[in-house]
Structures are given as structure tokens and as C-alpha cells.
Amino acid sequence: MTAILAIAASVMLATPAYAGDGYVGDVAAGAKVFENNCATCHAGGNNAIVSSQTLKQEALEQYLFNYRLEHNVEAIEYQVANGRGAMPAFQGRIRDKDIADVAAYVKSQSESGWPE
């Protein structure tokens, strides 16, 4: 039981400050954040480091924790804020608003199809 509480507490503490505050990310602003911070590894929704883990809908459903069923932007925000594997954490490196904006952009592009 203590281990479960410790895990729950770590997840709650790792939740970005903007989560649940009602702010809906701005897709256009997120495109700029993406270009300045993410495109080096993720241009066109691809992944230059781990080729299978792209930002395309199928890969997000397969690899992104808690995304498959709801396609929720919060799962993308969490990934951007906290990183995982080769991806660095951006919380503290960019503004919380920028994390929400880039997550909205990634979700939008993954649903409509990344440009080639």
C-alpha cells in the first residue's frame, strides 16, 4: 500500500502546473514552440533518434502512456514536461504555456496528418 501511495504521489507531483487550469493550448503558438524546440528530432512528426516512436497518431497510441483510449492532450503535455528515454524533460526549460501550446500543436498535427 505504501508503494502505491508513493507512486501516486510522484505522478501527482510530476503533473505540470498548467494541467487542469482550464488553459487550452494555442495550436499556432505551439507550431512556433515546436519549430524552436522539437523540430530537430521531430521534423514532420518523425523521430530522428528512435524511428518507430514518431508523433504520428498510430505511434502516439502505441507508445504514449494514457493516450490510446482518449487521445487526450494531457498525455502529450506530460510527455513534453517530463520526457522519457532519449527525450529530455522540458518542464523548467520552457514556459508551462509553451508546453500546453506545443502539445495542442502535436495533437492537431497527429490527427490531421503531418506534412511530408
Side-chain angles (χ1 to χ4, degrees):
M1 181 68 167
T2 303
I4 293 171
L5 291 174
I7 292 169
S10 69
V11 169
M12 287 172 45
L13 293 174
T15 301
Y18 49 82
D21 71 358
Y23 177 75
V24 177
D26 180 296
V27 173
K32 293 175 186 169
V33 175
F34 185 88
E35 186 61 36
N36 293 331
N37 295 280
C38 312
T40 300
C41 293
H42 292 292
N46 295 307
N47 187 326
I49 308 300
V50 183
S51 62
S52 63
Q53 295 183 11
T54 69
L55 301 180
K56 297 178 178 157
Q57 193 68 254
E58 304 79 31
L60 291 177
E61 290 172 354
Q62 183 175 358
Y63 296 109
L64 190 61
F65 176 72
N66 203 27
Y67 185 79
R68 174 176 274 181
L69 299 177
E70 297 180 20
H71 291 196
N72 59 13
V73 73
E74 291 84 5
I76 300 171
E77 290 173 351
Y78 183 87
Q79 177 72 26
V80 173
N82 297 289
R84 188 168 129 210
M87 182 176 165
F90 282 87
Q91 191 166 18
R93 297 174 67 184
I94 63 176
R95 298 177 307 162
D96 290 345
K97 178 189 177 303
D98 293 337
I99 291 173
D101 291 343
V102 77
Y105 173 74
V106 168
K107 184 174 189 303
S108 172
Q109 290 299 108
S110 71
E111 290 174 344
S112 64
W114 289 87
E116 296 300 321

